Amino acid sequence: MNTLEIENLVAKFPLVQQLIDLQAVTWFNPNTTTLAEGLPYVGLTQKDVAQAEARLKRFAPYLCLAFPETQTTQGIIESEVVAIPAMQDALQQRYGQTISGSLWLKKDSHLPISGSIKARGGIYEVLTHAEKLAIEAGMLSVDDDYAILFSDKFRQFFRQYSIAVGSTGNLGMSIGIMSAKLGFSVSVHMSADAREWKKRKLREHGVNVVEYEQDYGVAVAQGRKQAESDPRCFFIDDENSATLFLGYAVAGGRLRQQFEQMNIQVDRQHPLFVYLPCGVGGGPGGVAFGLKLAFGDNVHCIFAEPTHSPCMLLGIYTGLHDQIAVQDLGIDNVTAADGLAVGRASGFVGRAMERLLEGFYTLSDQEMYDLLGLLAREENIQLEPSALAGMPGPARVCAHQQYLDSHQLDAQKMSHATHLVWATGGGMVPAEEMAKYLGAAKN
Ligand SMILES: *Cc1c(COP(=O)(O)O)cnc(C)c1O
């Protein structure tokens, strides 16, 4: 974009200037609709999510064998929800803002296999592909006990096929580890911001790691190119995959069950706010879709992005979706939140979900580090920087009276609110790496 084009964009969309200036901004979406009105635009339904749920159940006996750490949940990859009351107090003090209701943490950071939210979508897409190949070859039927997949026969079968993906790190970990375990030849194309320890871990699992000096967009393009030249290679497209999206969406119904078991009420009088760190958008978009199906209009979904990579806010706010990248505005897309270092949002997710997302905000890298330190101190929970992006959300929502009024969220309802911060990663960060993160916190 040239200077004049940027000026014109700012004239129409004033908040863009604040994004260019790397300010921490909050934007509540004036175009949200009810679930009933917004659902047709998603192009996917409850039935699609139910199919994904059923597929993950079929694979549970296999996952139990392949990843013994999933035995405690019978092969279902799911994370805990925990209360973080000390952090709630600390946040109220930090921001000088009362947080009405109670604060909880969804620990996808501690999901088995890859220690991040990517263990939902990434693994689901690999399993979907493996199932399709095995069924087409006449080796598997949906009524079989999928434990049979944990065998040399199947590993040799999958060995003939390859899988490629472009990643900033965590998606590559999920897809790499899962694919290699099934027997696939797998290549992970990694961007410059991917951490060294993730590359090492993948190589230990027998994954072919291809490194780039450029960002995520380039790594994805190269992965796609590799797959195009090889008919036996399947490319997992983080930017446009409905399959990944459905893998994430399963989280909604699971959370509803967890809340029922924990006696956490969600209804008109008890609103639920969920704060989701956003990179390209598939993870938070899919989870938000699942949450809307599970809780209807009583759940409010808020996306959080680094000030240096506000791609989804930019795409939805301007309506330009994947037709604009933060780099077009001179924003550098350089952030310590490697899971969120994405300059151009998924056009599929933006267009599908723009009516169902209540709000968006940005925060600085230093804010993420400080919150990382605070959570470690107050609750003894250690996360990677990206996973803290949701943490300022409750204070931002509670401070925004106009938003609360426009959604009839009065003080009584807010006193019953549940705020859920989605902790998206960090459970497998090596100790020496975590020490560096903690050292970057100013408290
Ligand atoms: C990938 C990732 C996200 C965001 O998911 P997207 O699908 O890229 O939007 C958030 N947090 C962490 C730790 C991640 O790895």
Side-chain angles (χ1 to χ4, degrees), residues 117-118 170 277-284 339-340 384 386 424-425:
I117 188 172
K118 303 297 193 312
N170 286 335
C278 179
V280 72
L340 312 180
E384 66 182 89
S386 299
T424 46

Side-chain angles (χ1 to χ4, degrees), residues 9 12 49 61 77 81 144 151 169 171 189 244 272 281 304 312 327 341 344 362 397 400 409:
L9 192 70
K12 253 170 104 180
V49 179
I77 300 167
V81 175
D144 286 338
S151 63
L171 185 67
H189 298 259
L244 271 179
L272 169 62
M312 189 60 83
Q327 291 93 335
R344 188 186 300 277
T362 61
V397 164
H400 210 279
L409 292 161

Side-chain angles (χ1 to χ4, degrees), residues 290-311:
L291 290 168
K292 288 284 176 179
L293 291 174
F295 299 103
D297 298 323
N298 299 315
V299 62
H300 303 253
C301 299
I302 321 283
F303 280 17
E305 293 176 297
T307 49
H308 285 252
S309 312
C311 65

